[in-house]
Amino acid sequence: MAGNVLEFTTQNFPKEVLESPQVVMVDFWAPWCGPCRMLAPTIDELATQYAGKIRVGKLNTDDHPDIASEYGISGIPTVLVFKDGQIVDKLIGMQQKAKLESSIQSHL
């Protein structure tokens, strides 16, 4: 993971995402997924751009299928935005940075 991008796992997801006082953007991805790899630099940029304002991280669906299943992730990449432990936005597939920024801004 790049500098400001967190790595979410089955073990830390409740504390790092659901109990976070900040808005959290979670990128559900897998190493074999081409669009996921294409989205990664944008996720890295957003993590740096919004450092201290929101938390940005990735969850590998191959390594943590239980969390992916719990949130109904059927296609990747999928980006979920959480606020106060609840999903407030869901973006499926490759996204433009502007669309992700708009989602972040609307929940700050």
Side-chain angles (χ1 to χ4, degrees), residues 21-103:
Q22 292 180 303
V23 170
V24 183
M25 177 175 274
V26 182
D27 174 22
F28 289 82
W29 74 290
W32 50 263
C33 168
C36 298
R37 289 195 308 273
M38 290 170 47
L39 184 61
T42 302
I43 297 296
D44 294 345
E45 288 174 27
L46 292 170
T48 300
Q49 183 177 336
Y50 289 95
K53 296 178 184 163
I54 71 166
R55 300 173 63 107
V56 177
K58 299 167 79 77
L59 185 131
N60 184 325
T61 58
D62 286 350
D63 293 344
H64 307 284
D66 51 334
I67 299 290
S69 177
E70 182 176 339
Y71 289 97
I73 305 301
S74 57
I76 53 174
T78 293
V79 175
L80 297 183
V81 179
F82 290 81
K83 184 173 186 174
D84 299 324
Q86 301 297 313
I87 298 170
V88 293
D89 207 351
K90 181 176 190 174
L91 302 127
I92 301 170
M94 186 64 193
Q95 300 294 325
Q96 296 295 321
K97 184 178 179 186
K99 181 147 182 165
L100 294 165
E101 284 178 309
S102 175
S103 175

Side-chain angles (χ1 to χ4, degrees), residues 9-31:
T9 66
T10 299
Q11 294 73 28
N12 73 12
F13 196 86
K15 180 168 179 37
E16 298 290 330
V17 177
L18 303 179
E19 297 172 18
S20 174
Q22 292 180 303
V23 170
V24 183
M25 177 175 274
V26 182
D27 174 22
F28 289 82
W29 74 290

